Amino acid sequence: GPHMGSVSGCVLSLESDVLPEYKLQVPQTTWWILLHYSPFKAFWDWIILLLVLYTAVFTPYSAAFLLDEHGDLRQRSCGYTCNPLNVADLMVDVLFIVDIVINLRTTYVDQNDEVVTQPSRIAKHYVKGWFPIDLFAAIPFDLLIFRSGSDEVRTFLLKTARLLRLVRVARKLDRYSEYGAAVLFLLMCTFVLIAHWLACIWYAIGFVERPYTETGWLDNLAEQLGKSYNDSDSTSGPSVKDKYVTALYFTLSSLTSVGFGNVSPNTNSEKIFSICVMVIGSLMYASIFGNVSAIIQRLYSGTTRYHTQMLRVKEFIRFHQIPGCLRQRLEDQILPHGEPQAVRQPPLPLTAGKPGHHVRTS
């Protein structure tokens, strides 16, 4: 009836206060234009985020640890698709190209808080912005390398060009920056991810140098494990798992400046790399762990404030010798509230002053 109408009108008016202005009038969209706040776009952004994380972890790993001449020969004989990681990378590349197309057809909000739906303006805005980086990060270099054949270093560098996709995550991070716990989690992930990348580079250095030197870290590891290298047998030496775990152990112990020395740099290039890791480690320590302590302080600042105020109330109670039942009432009044009222307005009118003193009532 009419009553229901007024209620729904009320709800609608409430809604209009909550939503940004551009969400109220649904813009007139032409063919195949996607609204940037639509559920599909949110879902797609999460898929892209997961693909970026996949790229960040697996690209350096496959560029470093799956580099071996024998593997290259085997790959030439059975084709590009015989390595499952290559197939996965190709699918990811295709999805990133699809993402560029989606971004070219997604609305955006201009400076005047208006939703832009004209395809030409959207395209111009995107091309002037993130398009070059997105395009470079989406080029499937693997296929180009596979056709031409290339040396290890160039392969490593071209494959890691994909890490530009991490820029995607950086664009979205500002919306999480006010949540202390989220920032803490992101910082720890960053720390582990950088250790992982450095482990891949550390292995690549050892791999490239091993034929020319007998003192590299890979030879030392092979000696410790009793799995010595035999040049005639491509499968000799430590397993990929041994190499990766040792490399990650070395980079994490260097970044945290622990350095047990059981995996140590011996050749000049290994020492130079270790110096770089130590410099990066000290910078990360300063930035990441400095942030961590600030965030933890912020998380606990509420409880600290509460405890100091509780202490003031207890001192007040002790000083005025307030009787038991009233003391209980005062403490109970503070407990449920984050910021106790009893402290801001000391409950002097309630005090039952000592004999001989006048009770102040105001």
Coordinates of all heavy atoms in Angstrom, one line a residue, residues 14 72 114 135 148 191 204 209 230 268 292 303 305 362:
L14 N 18.0 6.8 0.7 CA 19.2 6.4 1.5 C 20.3 5.9 0.6 O 21.4 6.3 0.7 CB 18.8 5.2 2.4 CG 18.6 5.5 3.9 CD1 18.2 4.3 4.6 CD2 19.9 6.1 4.5
D72 N 67.5 -27.9 -24.0 CA 67.2 -27.2 -25.3 C 67.2 -28.1 -26.5 O 66.3 -28.1 -27.3 CB 68.3 -26.1 -25.5 CG 68.1 -24.9 -24.6 OD1 67.0 -24.9 -24.0 OD2 68.9 -24.0 -24.6
E114 N 32.7 12.2 -14.2 CA 31.7 11.7 -15.2 C 32.3 10.4 -15.8 O 33.5 10.3 -16.0 CB 31.5 12.7 -16.3 CG 30.7 13.9 -15.8 CD 30.7 15.0 -16.9 OE1 31.3 14.8 -17.9 OE2 30.2 16.1 -16.5
L135 N 51.4 -3.7 -23.1 CA 51.7 -4.4 -24.4 C 53.0 -5.1 -24.3 O 53.2 -6.3 -24.7 CB 51.7 -3.4 -25.5 CG 51.9 -4.0 -26.9 CD1 50.7 -4.8 -27.3 CD2 52.1 -2.9 -27.9
S148 N 64.0 -18.5 -33.1 CA 65.4 -18.0 -33.5 C 66.5 -18.8 -32.8 O 67.6 -18.9 -33.4 CB 65.5 -16.5 -33.2 OG 65.4 -16.3 -31.9
F191 N 59.0 -9.5 0.4 CA 60.3 -9.9 0.9 C 60.6 -11.3 0.4 O 61.7 -11.6 -0.2 CB 60.3 -9.9 2.5 CG 61.6 -10.1 3.1 CD1 62.5 -9.1 3.1 CD2 61.9 -11.4 3.7 CE1 63.8 -9.3 3.7 CE2 63.2 -11.5 4.2 CZ 64.1 -10.5 4.3
A204 N 71.5 -18.9 -11.7 CA 72.0 -18.7 -13.1 C 73.4 -18.3 -13.1 O 74.2 -18.8 -14.0 CB 71.1 -17.5 -13.6
E209 N 78.8 -20.1 -14.8 CA 80.2 -20.2 -14.5 C 80.8 -21.6 -14.3 O 82.0 -21.8 -14.4 CB 80.5 -19.4 -13.2 CG 80.5 -17.9 -13.4 CD 81.3 -17.2 -12.3 OE1 81.2 -17.6 -11.2 OE2 82.1 -16.3 -12.7
N230 N 79.2 -34.9 -13.7 CA 79.9 -35.7 -14.7 C 79.5 -35.1 -16.1 O 78.4 -35.2 -16.5 CB 79.5 -37.2 -14.6 CG 80.2 -38.0 -15.7 OD1 81.0 -37.5 -16.4 ND2 79.8 -39.3 -15.7
N268 N 84.6 -14.4 -8.2 CA 84.4 -12.9 -8.2 C 82.9 -12.5 -8.5 O 82.4 -11.7 -7.8 CB 85.3 -12.3 -9.2 CG 86.7 -12.1 -8.6 OD1 86.9 -12.4 -7.4 ND2 87.7 -11.8 -9.5
V292 N 56.9 -2.5 9.3 CA 56.2 -3.5 10.1 C 56.1 -3.0 11.6 O 55.0 -3.1 12.2 CB 57.0 -4.8 10.1 CG1 56.5 -5.8 11.2 CG2 56.9 -5.5 8.7
T303 N 44.6 -0.4 22.2 CA 44.6 -1.0 23.5 C 45.5 -0.3 24.4 O 45.2 -0.1 25.6 CB 45.1 -2.5 23.3 OG1 46.2 -2.5 22.4 CG2 44.1 -3.4 22.9
R305 N 46.0 3.0 24.5 CA 45.2 4.2 24.9 C 44.2 3.7 26.0 O 44.1 4.4 27.0 CB 44.5 4.8 23.7 CG 44.1 6.2 24.0 CD 43.7 6.9 22.7 NE 42.6 6.2 22.0 CZ 42.8 5.8 20.7 NH1 43.9 6.0 20.1 NH2 41.8 5.2 20.1
S362 N 27.8 19.6 40.8 CA 27.7 20.7 39.9 C 26.6 20.5 38.9 O 26.4 19.3 38.5 CB 29.1 20.9 39.1 OG 29.5 19.7 38.6

